[in-house]
């Protein structure tokens, strides 16, 4: 089992920045993928960004150039820095951990972008 705890969500004005963090604990494999999905009201959950244990990153087109995903393998932590936030970034953001065919999810953290 893997447990994920997220932090860093909140209310931010358009154009602002937020940094999300997620700490994984439990049966952590040295080979894994971590990242973030989000789900806005009335919409399906979508990938925001991912990063492999080797540091390969992938971003949704909607956040590319505005976001940076990073990880600390020693601390089993993944971070997502989001800049130039837009109202359409409003959603619940979920951290995930993937390894050996299994996916674990965090409880989600709300980001609201509004003036």
């Amino acid at each position: 089992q893997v447990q994920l705890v997220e932090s860093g969500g909140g209310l931010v004005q358009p154009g602002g920045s937020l940094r999300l963090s997620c700490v994984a604990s439990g049966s952590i494999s040295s080979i894994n993928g971590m990242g973030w999905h989000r789900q806005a009201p009335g919409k399906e959950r979508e990938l925001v960004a991912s990063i492999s244990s080797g540091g390969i990153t992938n971003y949704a087109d909607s956040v590319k150039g505005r976001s940076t995903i990073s990880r600390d393998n020693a601390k089993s932590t993944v971070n997502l820095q989001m800049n130039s936030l837009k109202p359409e970034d409003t959603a619940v953001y979920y951290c995930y951990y993937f390894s050996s065919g299994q996916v674990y999810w965090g409880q989600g953290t709300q980001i609201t972008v509004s003036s």
Side-chain angles (χ1 to χ4, degrees), residues 38 46-49 59-67 82-86 88-89 93:
R38 68 185 179 187
E46 62 175 0
L47 174 70
V48 179
Y59 296 91
D61 288 342
S62 57
V63 304
K64 199 172 293 183
R66 302 188 292 122
S67 300
M82 301 189 71
N83 303 319
S84 302
L85 284 161
K86 306 174 182 180
E88 50 264 43
D89 293 318
Y93 285 70

Side-chain angles (χ1 to χ4, degrees), residues 5-98:
V5 178
E6 302 134 330
S7 60
L11 173 64
V12 62
Q13 293 187 344
S17 298
L18 276 178
R19 181 180 175 87
L20 301 180
S21 294
C22 175
V23 180
S25 61
S27 300
I28 305 299
S29 169
S30 59
I31 300 175
N32 62 70
M34 296 186 73
W36 297 87
H37 279 62
R38 68 185 179 187
Q39 187 164 21
K43 295 187 177 181
E44 293 187 355
R45 190 175 294 193
E46 62 175 0
L47 174 70
V48 179
S50 65
I51 184 167
S52 70
S53 48
I56 297 173
T57 60
N58 182 46
Y59 296 91
D61 288 342
S62 57
V63 304
K64 199 172 293 183
R66 302 188 292 122
S67 300
T68 302
I69 190 169
S70 60
R71 64 184 291 166
D72 183 334
N73 290 335
K75 297 180 179 180
S76 298
T77 300
V78 62
N79 302 301
L80 181 67
Q81 176 70 40
M82 301 189 71
N83 303 319
S84 302
L85 284 161
K86 306 174 182 180
E88 50 264 43
D89 293 318
T90 296
V92 179
Y93 285 70
Y94 297 92
C95 173
Y96 76 87
Y97 168 96
F98 172 80

